[in-house]
């Protein structure tokens, strides 16, 4: 049935190897009540966990039904624990918010058993341990002995071949302990029970076999079983075992039931989760708003300060250098001497020496019209100016008709002084005739139009507010 061959188990604690089991070899019969005795720390629980598949041995071999577990994968261990082994713990490990019946049913959820069949088998197991009339009680409404009976029923509901009990009477009084031992003794008539206990009197009276451990080794065995599991003469194809699984609807039902049982916890968890989701949404909204604002500022800036290429342009860097750099420091002069300040002289000389560059705008326009590498997809509008100012006339306060142009207005105010200044200072004359300067002095400008429709560029509707009249449509 179950064979342990030279089992070793070593734990690493604080950089030191601790041997919990040292070459344990045991054979178990198909049906017997085995009690494992020994002081605390001798390896009893470790041995039980290895038999139940809850822990892995370091060396040796564990054979189940003649099959070595060395070749077991995780799914094989899951199947073994779910179908072949039942567990009874000292602390019961019952789910407090579930009824007794539901606690026992849960052991069948991974076995692919239908709901009706689960309920029927759970009721039979509870009746077997004397709790058939308390199916709908909660664990908190029961005594320690009754809860241990529920744990036994849960271990038996899957009809396992092996029942493992870890101190099943450790938290019970003497009378209740006797009742639990009677139940286990009756179960041992039809299956293997391995029990870890500190009580030698109970083991001696109820167990059919007592194994004593000391420091990870077997020191005595009251009823050893030496017969090896017979190996088949020829390799036989092993029947494929059903792996543990839970249907989607079963998992969903269990989840919903758990959520509804803990309403306050579910509400608080949902509330906390919603705060996180709302916070993330607010951050995304804020970042999107900031990005939209940045895009709008960029559009405003580009519309106010567009990229301009003139037919003629003047390099102003030399003049700026003269203004900011040439006379920034102090010079050493002798006392009682007079020295001229040449800043204005240098500035005028620099202005007179400025060079004007000429651009071939005709060729550049042809290049833009060819739409190089999808240029039109990356600009809002392209405007071509031909050096013509709008001739707009208004009446002055005296009733005379005058041209409403800033250059003309300055000339009328300055009069002869303006003409004399332009003739005496070449720089002033150049500024009045150079498009880069004269266009900046114009009062009226042509609005951007959309190339495809011929109407105003959509960007203008966001940049300007209409105060009076209407937008031009052509």
């Amino acid at each position: 049935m179950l064979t342990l061959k030279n089992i070793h188990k070593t734990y690493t604690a604080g950089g030191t190897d601790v041997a919990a089991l040292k070459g344990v070899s045991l054979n178990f019969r198909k049906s017997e009540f085995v009690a494992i005795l020994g002081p605390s720390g001798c390896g009893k629980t470790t041995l039980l966990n290895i038999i139940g598949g809850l822990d892995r041995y370091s060396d040796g071999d564990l054979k189940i039904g003649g099959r070595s577990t060395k070749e077991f994968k995780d799914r094989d261990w899951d199947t073994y624990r779910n179908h072949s082994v039942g567990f009874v713990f000292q602390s019961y490990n019952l789910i407090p918010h579930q009824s007794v019946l539901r606690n026992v049913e849960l052991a069948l959820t991974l076995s692919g058993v239908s709901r009706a069949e689960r309920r029927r088998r759970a009721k039979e197991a509870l009746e077997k341990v004397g709790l058939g009339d308390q199916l709908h009680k909660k664990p908190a409404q029961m005594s320690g002995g009754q809860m241990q009976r529920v744990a036994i029923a849960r271990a038996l509901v899957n009809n396992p071949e092996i029942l493992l009990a870890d101190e099943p009477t450790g938290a019970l009084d003497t009378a209740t302990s006797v009742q639990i031992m009677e139940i286990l003794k009756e179960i041992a008539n039809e299956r293997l029970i391995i029990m870890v206990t500190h009580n030698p009197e109970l083991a001696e009276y109820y167990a059919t076999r007592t194994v004593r451990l000391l420091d990870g080794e077997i020191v005595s065995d009251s009823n050893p079983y030496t017969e090896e599991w017979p190996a088949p003469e020829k390799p036989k194809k092993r029947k494929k075992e059903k792996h543990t699984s839970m249907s989607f609807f079963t998992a969903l039902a269990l989840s919903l039931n758990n959520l509804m049982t803990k309403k306050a916890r579910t509400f608080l968890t949902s509330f906390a989760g919603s705060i996180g989701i709302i916070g993330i949404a607010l951050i995304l909204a804020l970042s999107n708003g900031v990005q939209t604002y940045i895009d709008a500022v960029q559009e405003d800036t580009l519309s106010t300060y567009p990229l301009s290429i003139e037919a003629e342009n003047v390099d102003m860097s030399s003049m700026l250098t003269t203004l900011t750099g040439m006379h920034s420091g102090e010079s050493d002069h002798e006392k009682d001497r007079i020295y001229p300040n040449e800043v204005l002289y240098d500035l005028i000389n620099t202005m007179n020496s400025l060079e004007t560059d000429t651009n071939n705008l005709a060729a550049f326009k042809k290049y833009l019209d060819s739409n190089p590498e999808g240029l039109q997809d990356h600009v809002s509008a392209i405007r071509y100016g031909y050096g013509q100012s709008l001739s707009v006339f208004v009446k002055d306060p005296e009733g005379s008709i005058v041209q409403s142009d800033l250059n003309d207005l300055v000339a009328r105010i300055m009069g002869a002084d303006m003409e004399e200044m332009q003739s005496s200072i070449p720089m002033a004359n150049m500024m009045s005739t150079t498009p880069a300067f004269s266009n900046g002095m114009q009062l009226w400008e042509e609005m951007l139009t959309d190339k495809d429709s011929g109407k105003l560029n959509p960007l203008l509707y966001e940049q300007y507010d209409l105060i009076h009249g209407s937008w031009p449509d052509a």
Side-chain angles (χ1 to χ4, degrees):
M1 174 62 184
L2 185 66
T3 301
L4 285 79
K5 285 188 175 182
N6 199 28
I7 294 293
H8 288 78
K9 177 62 181 177
T10 303
Y11 294 99
T12 301
T16 304
D17 292 338
V18 179
L21 296 177
K22 306 172 184 178
V24 174
S25 296
L26 282 172
N27 291 332
F28 295 95
R29 298 173 178 87
K30 188 173 183 180
S31 60
E32 63 176 337
F33 194 167
V34 181
I36 300 178
L37 295 175
S40 297
C42 69
K44 303 187 303 299
T45 301
T46 300
L47 178 61
L48 204 68
N49 290 339
I50 289 176
I51 294 174
L54 300 177
D55 203 354
R56 302 288 189 270
Y57 49 86
S58 303
D59 194 15
D61 193 11
L62 170 65
K63 290 187 176 181
I64 303 169
R67 180 188 176 190
S68 173
T69 57
K70 288 183 177 180
E71 59 188 53
F72 269 29
K73 299 179 181 178
D74 289 340
R75 289 181 63 88
D76 297 318
W77 283 113
D78 292 339
T79 302
Y80 168 66
R81 284 190 296 264
N82 192 255
H83 296 285
S84 301
V85 182
F87 296 91
V88 179
F89 301 98
Q90 179 180 352
S91 57
Y92 320 131
N93 291 336
L94 301 178
I95 302 175
H97 62 269
Q98 297 282 7
S99 66
V100 168
L101 183 61
R102 291 289 295 167
N103 267 279
V104 178
E105 280 186 41
L106 283 175
L108 295 169
T109 54
L110 291 175
S111 302
V113 181
S114 65
R115 179 181 177 84
E117 178 66 13
R118 289 201 307 265
R119 178 150 298 193
R120 183 188 67 80
R121 289 169 60 174
K123 287 181 179 180
E124 288 182 358
L126 287 169
E127 289 172 357
K128 191 171 184 178
V129 297
L131 295 176
D133 57 343
Q134 302 187 46
L135 302 179
H136 302 291
K137 281 188 176 182
K138 299 291 179 64
Q141 299 171 327
M142 310 182 78
S143 65
Q146 290 174 324
M147 285 191 287
Q148 192 61 285
R149 292 187 188 187
V150 175
I152 294 174
R154 182 183 58 190
L156 294 175
V157 73
N158 253 338
N159 193 28
E161 300 172 347
I162 306 169
L163 185 65
L164 304 178
D166 188 4
E167 295 283 356
T169 61
L172 304 177
D173 57 77
T174 303
T176 308
S177 298
V178 170
Q179 295 175 1
I180 297 300
M181 294 302 295
E182 289 289 347
I183 295 174
L184 293 177
K185 184 178 180 180
E186 182 181 352
I187 296 171
N189 293 326
E190 54 188 26
R191 71 192 75 230
L192 171 62
I193 295 181
I194 304 174
M195 178 185 69
V196 168
T197 182
H198 283 94
N199 194 327
E201 290 80 10
L202 289 178
E204 183 179 356
Y205 187 80
Y206 290 100
T208 60
R209 179 182 176 187
T210 303
V211 177
R212 295 182 180 272
L213 286 180
L214 182 63
D215 296 332
E217 296 179 324
I218 297 176
V219 294
S220 66
D221 188 347
S222 64
N223 187 15
Y225 180 56
T226 57
E227 182 179 351
E228 293 283 348
W229 185 266
E233 297 180 358
K234 294 181 180 179
K236 295 181 179 180
K237 187 176 181 181
R238 188 173 68 252
K239 182 180 179 182
K240 187 176 181 180
E241 296 176 341
K242 183 179 180 181
H243 290 295
T244 57
S245 62
M246 181 186 294
S247 68
F248 171 76
F249 293 105
T250 300
L252 182 62
L254 290 174
S255 300
L256 291 176
N257 183 61
N258 187 50
L259 290 176
M260 295 307 296
T261 303
K262 299 288 186 178
K263 295 184 177 66
R265 182 190 64 185
T266 301
F267 171 76
L268 291 176
T269 303
S270 302
F271 180 70
S274 64
I275 290 177
I277 294 173
I278 293 172
I280 294 174
L282 289 176
I283 292 174
L284 291 175
L286 180 62
S287 63
N288 184 64
V290 170
Q291 185 61 46
T292 303
Y293 171 74
I294 293 174
D295 294 341
V297 170
Q298 289 177 339
E299 288 184 355
D300 292 346
T301 303
L302 287 176
S303 62
T304 307
Y305 304 101
L307 299 176
S308 300
I309 300 177
E310 305 288 346
E312 295 180 352
N313 66 288
V314 179
D315 183 13
M316 305 293 293
S317 61
S318 58
M319 186 174 66
L320 294 175
T321 302
T322 301
L323 287 172
T324 59
M326 288 182 62
H327 299 279
S328 58
E330 295 184 359
S331 301
D332 260 342
H333 297 303
E334 296 181 10
K335 294 182 179 181
D336 301 327
R337 296 288 187 272
I338 297 175
Y339 295 90
N341 189 337
E342 301 177 352
V343 174
L344 183 59
Y345 174 78
D346 293 337
L347 178 61
I348 293 176
N349 283 340
T350 302
M351 293 173 63
N352 289 331
S353 63
L354 292 177
E355 297 182 358
T356 301
D357 295 328
T358 303
N359 296 316
N360 188 353
L361 294 186
F364 186 62
K365 179 180 183 301
K366 184 177 180 181
Y367 173 75
L368 294 179
D369 290 340
S370 66
N371 191 24
E373 299 182 1
L375 175 65
Q376 300 291 344
D377 298 332
H378 303 285
V379 297
S380 299
I382 298 178
R383 183 180 70 181
Y384 302 114
Y386 296 94
Q388 300 295 327
S389 60
L390 294 177
S391 297
V392 180
F393 296 86
V394 296
K395 286 184 178 182
D396 64 5
E398 298 176 356
S400 302
I401 297 177
V402 296
Q403 188 172 3
S404 60
D405 185 85
L406 196 58
N407 288 328
D408 185 65
L409 178 62
V410 172
R412 292 179 69 246
I413 294 175
M414 299 294 293
D417 295 336
M418 181 69 176
E419 294 179 4
E420 183 179 353
M421 183 179 68
Q422 288 182 355
S423 61
S424 61
I425 303 177
M427 181 63 189
N429 184 43
M430 180 189 66
M431 292 177 64
S432 64
T433 57
T434 301
F437 294 100
S438 61
N439 290 342
M441 300 287 287
Q442 291 181 2
L443 186 62
W444 304 92
E445 292 184 8
E446 178 186 356
M447 285 186 168
L448 292 174
T449 54
D450 190 63
K451 181 179 179 182
D452 297 329
S453 64
K455 297 183 178 181
L456 289 182
N457 189 274
L459 183 64
L460 290 175
Y461 295 104
E462 301 176 4
Q463 302 295 321
Y464 296 94
D465 292 327
L466 182 65
I467 304 301
H468 182 71
S470 61
W471 289 103
D473 58 5

